[in-house]
């Protein structure tokens, strides 16, 4: 078993017996998350609903079906992405997760991100977005790849919201359709060759700023235009 897989398996076992917040009391099953340890995309939703609580798996109800459809239209199989939530246990009557529940559960999400080390994180809905962009508005930043603490994160509307508000549906579909080109862009930026030593030694003549593709400043500008 790979180290990542054994890490995720151990984490899931911890989550299933976790008592760190009051949501432990009402659950049938905790829902640690699901997907391969090698996933390049990690999707983070809000919290388990009735069906997820019943099955111990994320996004298996109506929103889950829609999410699978969005992924498939974007060229991804559901089985190749990792799906999890901000809180791993169902809030009663599907109420919003409370700040103290989200912070109690945060360590599991942080460990999942560190273990999987995805190329891109997609947040679904406002609670997930608030983890990375506490002061932003979804209507402004949805669909944009932004760097947060060295990670590339895209905020998107929650599939359940898009199911209830037809106006959001087209937006969410478009944001998912843009995911593959976005990831290809991220990949290209990451794969830029490092600055060759000879160029940065003191004795070397300074290269012209605009023209040199290995120039650090130029490289940073490229990144900024991407994010
Ligand atoms: N909604 C979520 O945010 N997460 C799930 O797992 C299911 C529905
Ligand atoms: Fe533990 Fe998270 Fe479940 Fe709360 S929601 S009991 S912190 S796993």
């Amino acid at each position: 078993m790979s180290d990542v897989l054994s890490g995720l398996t151990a984490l899931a076992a911890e989550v299933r017996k976790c008592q760190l917040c009051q949501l432990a009391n009402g659950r049938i099953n905790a829902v640690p998350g699901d997907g391969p340890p090698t996933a390049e995309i990690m999707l983070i939703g809000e919290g388990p609903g009735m069906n997820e609580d019943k099955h111990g798996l994320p996004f298996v109800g109506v929103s889950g079906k829609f999410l699978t459809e969005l992924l498939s239209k974007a060229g991804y199989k559901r089985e190749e992405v990792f799906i999890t939530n901000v809180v791993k246990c169902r809030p009663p009557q599907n109420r919003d997760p409370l700040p103290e529940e989200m912070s109690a559960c945060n360590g599991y999400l942080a460990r999942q991100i560190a273990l999987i080390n995805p190329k891109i994180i997609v947040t679904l809905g406002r609670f997930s977005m608030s983890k990375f962009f506490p002061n932003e508005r979804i209507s402004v930043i949805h669909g944009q790849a932004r760097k947060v603490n060295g990670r590339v994160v895209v905020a998107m509307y929650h599939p359940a919201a898009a199911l209830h508000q037809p106006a959001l549906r087209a937006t969410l579909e478009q944001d998912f359709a843009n995911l593959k080109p976005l990831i290809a862009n991220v990949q290209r930026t990451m794969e830029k060759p490092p600055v060759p030593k000879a160029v940065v030694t003191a004795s070397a003549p300074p290269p012209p700023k605009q023209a040199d593709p290995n120039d650090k400043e130029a490289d940073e500008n490229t990144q900024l235009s991407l994010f």
Side-chain angles (χ1 to χ4, degrees):
M1 212 195 302
S2 77
D3 285 353
V4 179
L5 182 56
S6 56
L8 289 172
T9 308
L11 184 145
E14 265 179 67
V15 165
R16 285 193 198 96
K17 54 180 201 310
C18 178
Q19 297 287 336
L20 284 176
C21 85
Q22 60 186 352
L23 296 181
N25 304 329
R27 72 182 172 219
I28 301 172
N29 288 296
V31 182
D34 187 38
T38 51
E40 294 187 350
I41 306 175
M42 182 166 180
L43 297 143
I44 308 173
E46 183 177 319
M50 185 183 69
N51 290 294
E52 291 76 23
D53 181 48
K54 204 161 155 185
H55 298 285
L57 290 167
F59 282 95
V60 289
V62 184
S63 329
K65 193 162 169 272
F66 184 39
L67 180 60
T68 306
E69 203 180 298
L70 287 163
L71 282 165
S72 146
K73 280 192 193 153
Y76 295 101
K77 293 195 198 87
R78 185 188 162 112
E79 305 76 62
E80 64 185 315
V81 303
F82 193 89
I83 308 178
T84 189
N85 284 303
V86 166
V87 291
K88 315 300 193 200
C89 304
R90 183 191 182 197
Q93 276 84 47
N94 299 342
R95 68 151 165 76
D96 292 345
L98 302 175
E100 60 265 32
E101 294 160 354
M102 286 173 56
S103 50
C105 212
N106 188 58
Y108 298 121
L109 184 62
R111 281 165 60 195
Q112 286 171 320
I113 295 170
L115 279 164
I116 294 169
N117 193 20
K119 280 211 180 94
I120 201 158
I121 292 174
V122 178
T123 65
L124 301 169
R126 62 193 167 112
F127 293 98
S128 178
M129 181 179 87
S130 73
K131 290 261 162 198
F132 301 92
F133 308 108
N135 301 312
E136 299 280 358
R137 292 163 63 153
I138 185 80
S139 57
V140 175
I141 68 161
H142 72 85
Q144 300 173 2
R146 294 187 170 209
K147 251 191 171 165
V148 184
N149 299 327
R151 297 211 165 269
V152 183
V153 186
V154 191
M156 294 201 196
Y157 286 103
H158 195 287
L163 278 176
H164 295 129
Q165 298 171 67
L168 293 185
R169 190 180 174 125
T171 307
L172 186 59
E173 283 175 350
Q174 189 57 56
D175 287 347
F176 264 91
N178 286 341
L179 199 52
K180 214 159 224 184
L182 214 60
I183 293 173
N185 253 350
V186 168
Q187 180 99 357
R188 267 198 297 280
T189 311
M190 305 291 179
E191 280 171 2
K192 278 237 169 87
V195 181
K197 280 234 159 54
V199 175
V200 292
T201 52
S203 56
K209 278 222 152 40
Q210 298 298 321
D212 187 349
N214 290 319
D215 180 67
K216 193 158 182 300
E217 231 171 276
D219 187 52
E220 270 164 16
N221 287 340
T222 319
Q223 288 213 19
L224 282 177
S225 70
L226 273 179
F227 298 109

